[in-house]
Every structure is written in C-alpha cells, then in structure tokens.
C-alpha cells in the first residue's frame, strides 16, 4: 500500500484493541492490519499549514504556520492552561470559535497512562482525548459548564495528583492498574470545601460530581514495547522505516524508534505499508 499527501493526527475508535486510521490528505488507511509489517515514511521537507493551507518552512503548534499560530484561538496559551481563559475579558482571538468549543460542557477526568493523572476535555472528545494520551484507564469525575471552570477544577486537583504524562514511560508498556474510583473519592473528599467555593461562585449546577461513572479500560494494538524509547523526527531524519510493532497514543512504535504522528501534521510525505 502506497500513500502520498499531508499527514494529520491519527483517528481512533475505542475497540479492543483501539483501531487506528492514518489520514493522508483525503485518504484514510486503517493501520492495525499492518502491525508486524514494514512501514516507510519519507518527507521531502514540504509543510503546509493545516489551518490556512499556506506553505511554511517550519511547523508551529502541531501543524500551523506562524501567522495562524499567533492569530487562532485554538493555538492560544489558554488551550494548554484553561484557567487563563480570557473570553469574559473580551480579548479572545476568536469569540465565535470559543462559544463553539470552550463555552460548552467539559469533563475533568482521572487517567492512568504513565501513572495516575488529572486532565480535562470537551465532551465530544471522550474517549478520543484519553486514547491520544495513551491512557490504559480513564474515569470522568466532574462535568462542568465550560472550559475555564474545568481549568479551575483541575488546578485544585493538581495539588493532590499530577496533570502530566511521562510519554517515554507510557511507551514502555501498560502501567500497573490503579483504583480510579477510590482515587476519585479521595480527591473529592480532600477538595470538598474548595470545590464548594467554586460552585457557589459559578452557580448551582455549574459543577457536577460524577460518582457513578464506570472506569473505561483501553487496550492498544502493540505486539512489543521498546526497552529504550528513541524518538524519530522527520525534520532530522526525512526517511523513517522499520517494522511496525504497535500504536499507542499518537505514536507509531517501530523497531527503529517511535514517531509522533500528530507532531508532524501538515507534512507532505510518501508512505509505504506492508
């Protein structure tokens, strides 16, 4: 199988194991059948912005040209740190975009990827967000009215649990299972007053404690994990090839190293599978 075009982040479907599809322009190829087979990706150094389509010599914010990285709300700092949202201040780069993406229900969740962590995501991004982070377990613990509030709740919980994923550790294998329901209950008990203060500030129903949700278990199509994680980079090594050992998060795991597909969104590549 040969493909040529611009890369995009892999599309995922929560099955057992997760199904991965690789978008290359208008082509969409399911990758699971190629695990155990040879994979070759070659970049000619051509990059086009995933937002406006203009050619760029360097990719910013996972596939954008510099002007778009500076003007689009989706590239603003508040996307990474939602507690810094400035929509109410009237300085949002794209208020209409914010209304569609930020001013809607968000979930605060616990996940187990390289260990237990807290995170947030928009409701339509469940369970995609968990899969993209390489989580083996996930549990939504709060529903909140908007992104800003999800960031404030996350800040409270970060006093007790990390909000980081160690991507190298995540790619070395599945973590030991943890009791996320017990962790949820302990976090709620330890943050009860601070959460009550937030709830009174934003009004009744703004924060909903999800005490009856089930843990989601996620299994990835991986036949072997690397003992040592070697990151592959299309900027430094335009030709990458090897046996595809598995896929986890947004990473292809090859016997020659690991490649973060999302990082190279907008790169024009030639792909050979099988």
């Amino acid at each position: 199988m040969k493909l040529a075009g611009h890369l995009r982040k892999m599309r995922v479907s929560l099955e057992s194991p997760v199904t991965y599809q690789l978008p290359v322009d208008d082509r969409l190829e399911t990758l699971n059948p190629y695990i155990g087979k040879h994979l070759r990706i070659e970049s000619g150094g051509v990059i086009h912005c995933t937002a406006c389509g203009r050619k760029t010599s360097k990719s910013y914010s996972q596939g954008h040209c510099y002007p778009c990285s500076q003007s689009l709300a989706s590239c603003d700092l508040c996307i990474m740190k939602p507690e810094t949202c400035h929509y109410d201040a009237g300085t949002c780069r794209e208020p209409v975009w914010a209304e569609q993406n930020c001013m809607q229900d968000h979930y605060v969740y616990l996940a187990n990827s390289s260990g237990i962590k807290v995170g947030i995501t928009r409701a339509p991004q469940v369970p995609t967000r968990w899969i993209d982070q390489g989580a083996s377990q996930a549990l939504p613990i709060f529903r909140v009215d908007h992104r800003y509030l999800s960031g404030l709740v996350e800040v409270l919980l970060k006093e007790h649990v990390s909000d980081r994923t160690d991507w190298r550790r995540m790619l070395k294998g599945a973590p030991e299972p943890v009791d996320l329901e017990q962790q949820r209950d302990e976090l709620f008990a330890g943050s009860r007053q601070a959460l009550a203060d937030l709830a009174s500030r934003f009004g009744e129903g703004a924060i909903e404690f999800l005490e009856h949700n089930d843990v989601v278990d996620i299994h990835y199509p991986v036949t072997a994990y690397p003992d040592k994680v070697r990151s592959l980079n299309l900027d430094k090594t335009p030709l990458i090839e090897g046996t595809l050992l598995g896929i986890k998060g947004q990473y292809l795991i090859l016997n020659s190293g690991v490649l973060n597909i999302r990082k190279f969104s907008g790169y024009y590549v030639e792909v050979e599978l099988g």
Side-chain angles (χ1 to χ4, degrees):
M1 173 64 67
K2 294 184 178 181
L3 306 169
H6 298 85
L7 285 176
R8 294 291 189 275
K9 73 181 286 285
M10 290 182 284
R11 299 185 189 179
V12 300
S13 177
L14 181 58
E15 300 175 43
S16 188
V18 173
T19 296
Y20 280 91
Q21 293 180 303
L22 180 68
V24 181
D25 279 347
D26 59 351
R27 295 281 300 275
L28 197 60
E29 187 67 25
T30 301
L31 292 179
N32 296 52
Y34 295 100
I35 292 175
K37 299 181 180 180
H38 191 76
L39 180 146
R40 182 180 190 272
I41 299 179
E42 185 171 10
S43 169
V46 176
I47 311 169
H48 286 93
C49 177
T50 57
C52 72
R54 68 162 58 96
K55 188 175 180 180
T56 176
S57 59
K58 184 178 179 180
S59 173
Y60 299 86
S61 302
Q62 297 178 328
H64 294 83
C65 64
Y66 183 75
C68 283
S69 74
Q70 297 300 298
S71 63
L72 296 180
S74 59
C75 296
D76 204 346
L77 175 64
C78 54
I79 296 302
M80 297 299 294
K81 294 185 175 183
E83 68 274 15
T84 64
C85 172
H86 45 100
Y87 176 86
D88 286 345
T91 56
C92 180
R93 296 178 181 181
E94 297 176 275
V96 174
W97 183 91
E99 290 168 8
Q100 297 170 346
N101 291 274
C102 302
M103 310 307 291
Q104 62 168 265
D105 282 0
H106 277 63
Y107 287 104
V108 181
Y109 62 85
L110 293 177
N112 183 17
S113 48
S114 59
I116 189 170
K117 63 155 288 182
V118 62
I120 67 168
T121 188
R122 289 185 295 125
Q125 287 299 302
V126 172
T128 300
R129 176 65 172 166
W130 305 334
I131 296 172
D132 285 348
Q133 291 185 334
S136 295
Q137 298 171 280
L139 177 68
I141 59 174
F142 292 101
R143 182 217 56 82
V144 302
D145 281 353
H146 46 76
R147 188 172 183 83
Y148 176 50
L149 182 51
S150 73
L152 295 179
V153 173
E154 184 184 37
V155 167
L156 289 179
L157 301 183
K158 282 194 299 186
E159 296 180 9
H160 307 282
V161 64
S162 174
D163 66 333
R164 303 287 183 179
T165 296
D166 183 336
W167 65 273
R168 291 183 180 274
R169 185 177 174 189
M170 179 270 290
L171 289 170
K172 286 187 175 182
E176 288 295 320
V178 296
D179 189 337
L180 292 182
E181 293 169 324
Q182 179 182 341
Q183 292 287 334
R184 172 199 63 199
D185 295 342
E186 291 177 358
L187 279 173
F188 182 68
S191 308
R192 188 186 301 272
Q193 186 56 56
L195 290 166
D197 293 342
L198 266 185
S200 63
R201 173 182 167 189
F202 286 92
E204 184 177 356
I207 303 175
E208 178 186 1
F209 178 47
L210 305 175
E211 55 183 327
H212 300 299
N213 284 52
D214 295 326
V215 174
V216 176
D217 293 311
I218 305 173
H219 304 281
Y220 296 90
V222 180
T223 58
Y225 286 100
D227 294 326
K228 184 177 181 180
V229 177
R230 175 175 175 256
S231 181
L232 302 173
N233 189 319
L234 287 171
D235 293 323
K236 298 177 180 179
T237 310
L239 174 59
I240 291 172
E241 59 183 330
T243 300
L244 181 61
L245 301 178
I247 315 169
K248 190 176 184 184
Q250 279 290 316
Y251 287 88
L252 300 181
I253 302 173
L254 308 174
N255 63 344
S256 55
V258 300
L259 179 66
N260 184 345
I261 291 295
R262 186 173 192 172
K263 179 179 178 179
F264 298 101
S265 295
Y267 282 59
Y268 186 90
V269 297
E270 294 182 356
V271 181
E272 292 185 20
L273 296 163

